[in-house]
Amino acid sequence: MRIVSAQEMRSVDESAFRRLGIPSFAVMESAGRAVVSVLMRCAPELSHVDVLCGPGNNGGDGYVIGRVLRDLGVDVDLFSTSEPTSKDAILAASAFRASGGTVQSLSTYLPRPDSIVIDALFGFGFGGSGFRGSLDDELSGVSRSIEHARATARVRVLAVDVPSGVDATLGTAALSCITADWTVTFQYPKRGHFLFPAAEKRGELFVVDIGVGEQGEFKESIADIPQIEAFARRSFHVGADAHKGTKGHVFVVGGSEGCYGAPLLSARAALRLGAGLVTIGLSRQAEALLTESLGELMSLVIWDESQDLDARAKLTEFVDRRLGKLSSLVIGPGLGLGDRSATIARAILRIARERDIPTVIDADGLSLIAAREDLWGDLPPRTVLTPHPGEMARLLNTTSEKIQADRFGAARTLSTDRQCWVILKGAHSVVAHPSGECSVVPVSAPALATAGSGDILAGVLGSLLSRSDAFGEDVILGATLHAYAGKRFAEHPVGVVASDLVPTIADVANDLISFEQAVTPDFPVLAIYPAVPS
């Protein structure tokens, strides 16, 4: 499903009004009724609803919601900041009053225990320039009283489109932004639903069809993750005549002094996810320490930390004589940042480029190419970079704060400029294609915030890329598997370490393979996204 900015959504609405001839008030009516449909699903026992309306079209949706709920016999109190100002909101308010409803001033509002609050104050009309301050005093007080009632009086909140105080495009939020238990948004999810801090405010997200179609002016292509079960069934299909030689050979290069465990994590993840063979290319010192931990893994000493070496000649010889046909390369976990590490990286990347070996660059590998412009020319045609925000900042010569402020733009810039795939890690990881298209992993997993979880992702990608020609699908699949594995620790996040993810990722993969059919949401719901863990 496409993910849009506030301006792109306005273009969809305008197209529906202008090209399709759909009356704008009919769209408002559809939106309000769709919200009620979701509300009845989420809180079927509801008896009292407070509807909070602003002066614009978001408030107009609120008036429709209030009227429809009254028609259903629900006790409704409606509070407004002021009289409506848009044409359609005026009509909606008039219809609400005609149904017997009364409008009270928002200044008198206090939440009732066990009630549902409908936040129809601003929608995506708020904070279009990335507002970071506070709401005015009156609305700040309302927000505080709602938050207190959520904590003490079993009050729940449903936001219309986005919670009030959120920028729907940039994902910024006012200091006293309303926090929702559910958000119902129209036709497409908005970028701010997947960017922080706004993502933490939305609760469970429902995307509903309001009949405006799919025409609009879309400046950029951003989507969520499609058909992941189909990707998994294709990637993990094993023929009846399979053997370890047909399931891919992953070469993991890394492990300098102080970081010997990093390539071991990557290699174990690659093997667990189905690679037939996994070899770690490491230093002599690392092999001596890791020998008893290798188990099913193979090792290949390609440098000695106490000696100089002709890395290009030595590594070429090893690849030719010892490793045979490599299927994928993972380079960077624990590799180190010095000149020796750069020489090793250059030699290995050139071999991978000459042989068109799918390549994953992570951790120290990213820092090396960020610091040495000449290494970019050695990247193989099929390369995926997996930076966290700090590494992305080094790759783009900026700050991690600026990366987080525009995660889509950062991932797209690096991917198009360097013509490689990029996974910008973090809550709701962004996957960018060299063409500029982006996908969002619609999962946030705080359990992944632990040392070594990125090494696990690198190994997962290496395994997937070692046995498939569907490079892009497997990059997306790897990022998604990693996120969903982390999510499985949501209820017990304390004590999770990276190695715990290895068997869990395999479990997630097996569940996806056996998943018969995705549950189709009941109309008008088009898609549902889980709440972000608090």
Side-chain angles (χ1 to χ4, degrees), residues 35-46 69 72 74:
V35 172
V36 171
S37 176
V38 173
L39 177 61
M40 301 303 288
R41 166 182 176 159
C42 293
E45 77 290 354
L46 67 86
L69 286 172
L72 294 173
V74 178

Side-chain angles (χ1 to χ4, degrees), residues 367-435:
S367 296
L368 286 170
I369 62 175
R372 293 167 171 82
E373 180 66 28
D374 61 301
L375 282 175
W376 287 104
D378 294 321
L379 266 57
R382 292 182 291 168
T383 293
V384 56
L385 310 180
T386 59
H388 57 58
E391 291 163 340
M392 180 65 98
R394 290 193 286 277
L395 290 164
L396 292 178
N397 193 29
T398 184
T399 65
S400 57
E401 290 77 14
K402 289 183 178 179
I403 296 298
Q404 291 295 76
D406 186 10
R407 286 172 57 81
F408 297 122
R412 180 183 295 108
T413 296
L414 182 61
S415 183
T416 55
D417 286 355
R418 301 298 186 175
Q419 283 299 289
C420 56
W421 284 78
V422 173
I423 299 175
L424 176 54
K425 294 181 291 195
H428 301 136
S429 292
V430 178
V431 183
H433 183 284
S435 69

Side-chain angles (χ1 to χ4, degrees), residues 155-511:
V155 167
R156 291 171 290 175
V157 178
L158 185 150
V160 179
D161 227 359
V162 295
S164 289
V166 158
D167 186 300
T169 298
L170 300 179
T172 53
L175 297 177
S176 49
C177 173
I178 289 176
T179 299
D181 297 276
W182 313 285
T183 293
V184 179
T185 196
F186 307 125
Q187 212 65 41
Y188 297 107
K190 314 306 181 290
R191 295 186 196 180
H193 291 138
F194 299 98
L195 296 172
F196 286 77
E200 291 181 294
K201 304 294 185 180
R202 64 168 165 82
E204 190 173 18
L205 175 65
F206 295 81
V207 184
V208 296
D209 186 351
I210 57 172
V212 295
E214 300 180 355
Q215 296 295 316
E217 295 181 8
F218 302 108
K219 296 181 179 179
E220 299 168 330
S221 179
I222 301 174
D224 66 0
I225 300 299
Q227 302 176 346
I228 202 66
E229 297 88 358
F231 290 0
R233 283 191 286 270
R234 173 200 50 74
S235 183
F236 293 110
H237 174 73
V238 178
D241 60 345
H243 55 81
K244 63 184 180 183
T246 63
K247 294 178 67 180
H249 187 174
V250 182
F251 189 31
V252 180
V253 179
S256 291
E257 184 177 2
C259 298
Y260 293 144
L264 187 61
L265 288 171
S266 298
R268 284 177 173 166
L271 193 65
R272 178 71 74 165
L273 211 59
L277 298 164
V278 180
T279 298
I280 305 178
L282 71 182
S283 71
R284 189 172 303 282
Q285 290 75 9
E287 187 190 46
L289 290 172
L290 298 178
T291 296
E292 294 184 3
S293 303
L294 291 176
E296 302 90 339
L297 302 169
M298 298 182 291
S299 64
L300 179 64
V301 174
I302 57 177
W303 79 94
D304 189 315
E305 293 175 16
S306 65
Q307 299 176 8
D308 294 330
L309 55 83
D310 180 350
R312 172 69 171 167
K314 194 174 183 67
L315 293 178
T316 301
E317 177 185 348
F318 277 143
V319 170
D320 286 339
R321 296 185 181 181
R322 294 285 302 279
L323 296 179
K325 185 179 179 182
L326 286 177
S327 306
S328 67
L329 167 66
V330 175
I331 185 166
L335 181 58
L337 302 176
D339 291 341
R340 181 196 304 274
S341 299
T343 300
I344 293 166
R346 182 176 292 106
I348 291 288
L349 288 171
R350 286 178 180 176
I351 292 169
R353 183 177 181 83
E354 290 168 3
R355 301 186 179 196
D356 191 22
I357 297 171
T359 297
V360 183
I361 304 180
D362 185 44
D364 289 346
L366 297 170
S367 296
L368 286 170
I369 62 175
R372 293 167 171 82
E373 180 66 28
D374 61 301
L375 282 175
W376 287 104
D378 294 321
L379 266 57
R382 292 182 291 168
T383 293
V384 56
L385 310 180
T386 59
H388 57 58
E391 291 163 340
M392 180 65 98
R394 290 193 286 277
L395 290 164
L396 292 178
N397 193 29
T398 184
T399 65
S400 57
E401 290 77 14
K402 289 183 178 179
I403 296 298
Q404 291 295 76
D406 186 10
R407 286 172 57 81
F408 297 122
R412 180 183 295 108
T413 296
L414 182 61
S415 183
T416 55
D417 286 355
R418 301 298 186 175
Q419 283 299 289
C420 56
W421 284 78
V422 173
I423 299 175
L424 176 54
K425 294 181 291 195
H428 301 136
S429 292
V430 178
V431 183
H433 183 284
S435 69
E437 296 180 3
C438 288
S439 298
V440 179
V441 179
V443 176
S444 175
L448 296 178
T450 185
S453 69
D455 301 321
I456 299 295
L457 173 60
V460 166
L461 292 166
S463 183
L464 295 171
L465 299 177
S466 72
R467 57 181 179 271
S468 171
D469 292 327
F471 189 92
E473 289 185 6
D474 284 322
V475 170
I476 292 172
L477 176 60
T480 307
L481 286 172
H482 188 246
Y484 274 101
K487 189 185 176 195
R488 293 205 174 182
F489 293 95
E491 294 184 3
H492 306 284
V494 178
V496 178
V497 295
S499 56
D500 296 332
L501 297 169
V502 175
T504 306
I505 287 177
D507 291 341
V508 172
N510 284 317
D511 289 347

